[in-house]
Amino acid sequence: MEFLTDPLQFGFMQNALVVAIVASVVCSLLSCWLVLMGWSLMGEAVAHSILPGVVLASLFGAPLAVGAFIFGMGAVLLIGGISTSTTLKRDTAIGIVFTTLFALGIVLISRAPSETHLQHILFGNVLGTSTADLLQVSGLGALIVIVLLTLRRNFVLLAFDRLHAVSLGMSPGRWSILLLMLLALTAVTALQTLGVILVVAMLVIPGATAAMLTRTFGPMLWISCSSAVLSAITGVYLSYWWDLSTSGCIVLAQSAQFGLAYLLAPRKGLISTWRRASAHPNRLVPNTAAGQSSSPAAT
């Protein structure tokens, strides 16, 4: 019990635990849609592109969330503009935009006053969370969760069947923009916890873990959220007792859960796949090279 109760005697640990849990819940919910829609790279782009917005907001004394959101949405618009106005594919546009904006942020940091801490911006400073930061993260997190759950059916339809969405009168483009706006806000929410680099893990790993364990979307949301919260609590406590990076511990805890799911998932896990292959050694599955069947994993 001392392992659990002693850290909570300090106010900074209470704030750190709450903000880590809030950020993990928000990121894990959105992570499910990013994984299903193949937008994981877009999440990385937005997370890295907010760096110059954070630095500029710090220089001018504005809220960091405002600068981060402006540059996050700017990155989304630039990516969409480049990919639609040229013959370049979306992943190429993503690589151009987020590396350019990330480099701009690094340059701004090199010219910024000394109070702008590069390490805190890049890797987070969850143990330094103030009450104002906690209120900001909680407010943004609550807004994102409410929108996601209220409009859940529309977003699910967007992820699984765009043609059906169009037949129902939905505009996939508008709903995609709304989802990208939520992505930018989510990156801002997780900024205090993990920073602009490791926030990508929060936006990808929980959804990927849940996708390994279930085939239906409802349970996927619950598994992703539970996995992320457990990782947040584990990471905060391990960082306190072993004097380690809090954000790094949170991400490693999530990665460990994904590793277990990858090995032990009842349907998609590596061990169950091997067992099915051993039980049916002559069973064939499609071979992409020869147009025949050669492995049981795809059937």
Side-chain angles (χ1 to χ4, degrees):
M1 292 301 298
E2 292 180 355
F3 179 87
L4 298 176
T5 57
D6 284 359
L8 298 181
Q9 298 175 7
F10 305 99
F12 74 91
M13 282 298 297
Q14 297 174 12
N15 288 347
L17 190 60
V18 173
V19 78
I21 291 175
V22 171
S24 65
V25 169
V26 177
C27 289
S28 62
L29 291 178
L30 187 59
S31 173
C32 296
W33 276 281
L34 295 182
V35 170
L36 290 176
M37 298 176 68
W39 281 11
S40 298
L41 187 58
M42 182 65 79
E44 179 180 4
V46 172
H48 285 74
S49 299
I50 65 177
L51 178 59
V54 172
V55 179
L56 289 175
S58 177
L59 289 176
F60 290 101
L64 300 185
V66 174
F69 179 73
I70 291 175
F71 271 79
M73 288 307 302
V76 170
L77 295 176
L78 282 173
I79 292 169
I82 293 175
S83 59
T84 55
S85 61
T86 67
T87 57
L88 298 175
K89 294 184 178 180
R90 180 177 291 270
D91 59 342
T92 303
I94 289 174
I96 294 172
V97 171
F98 97 75
T99 52
T100 301
L101 291 179
F102 190 70
L104 175 61
I106 296 295
V107 171
L108 290 175
I109 286 176
S110 67
R111 299 296 299 172
S114 58
E115 60 264 22
T116 303
H117 301 293
L118 173 62
Q119 184 174 358
H120 292 171
I121 294 175
L122 294 180
F123 303 106
N125 184 28
V126 64
L127 297 181
T129 302
S130 63
T131 303
D133 294 329
L134 180 59
L135 292 176
Q136 174 185 296
V137 171
S138 300
L140 289 175
L143 174 64
I144 296 168
V145 170
I146 290 173
V147 173
L148 280 175
L149 295 183
T150 302
L151 303 176
R152 169 188 165 185
R153 293 181 180 274
N154 301 75
F155 288 133
V156 170
L157 191 59
L158 178 69
F160 285 98
D161 195 345
R162 288 201 170 205
L163 293 178
H164 186 51
V166 172
S167 68
L168 293 177
M170 291 177 55
S171 173
R174 293 179 181 178
W175 285 97
S176 297
I177 291 175
L178 177 58
L179 193 60
L180 290 172
M181 291 178 64
L182 294 177
L183 173 60
L185 281 176
T186 302
V188 173
T189 303
L191 175 67
Q192 181 67 29
T193 308
L194 293 184
V196 299
I197 292 181
L198 297 180
V199 68
V200 181
M202 262 189 157
L203 288 170
V204 176
I205 298 178
T209 301
M212 293 291 297
L213 297 174
T214 183
R215 290 182 169 184
T216 53
F217 192 75
M220 183 180 181
L221 290 176
W222 284 106
I223 293 173
S224 177
C225 186
S226 301
S227 169
V229 169
L230 178 60
S231 299
I233 296 173
T234 303
V236 170
Y237 273 97
L238 290 180
S239 68
Y240 174 84
W241 286 110
W242 292 351
D243 193 22
L244 301 172
S245 166
T246 307
S247 57
C249 288
I250 293 174
V251 173
L252 287 178
Q254 290 183 347
S255 300
Q257 291 184 62
F258 174 78
L260 291 175
Y262 174 69
L263 291 174
L264 305 176
R267 293 180 180 272
K268 304 177 184 178
L270 193 61
I271 293 179
S272 62
T273 302
W274 285 345
R275 288 178 176 174
R276 288 196 299 270
S278 300
H280 305 282
N282 297 324
R283 188 177 179 181
L284 301 178
V285 298
N287 185 319
T288 56
Q292 298 177 352
S293 299
S294 61
S295 166
T299 56

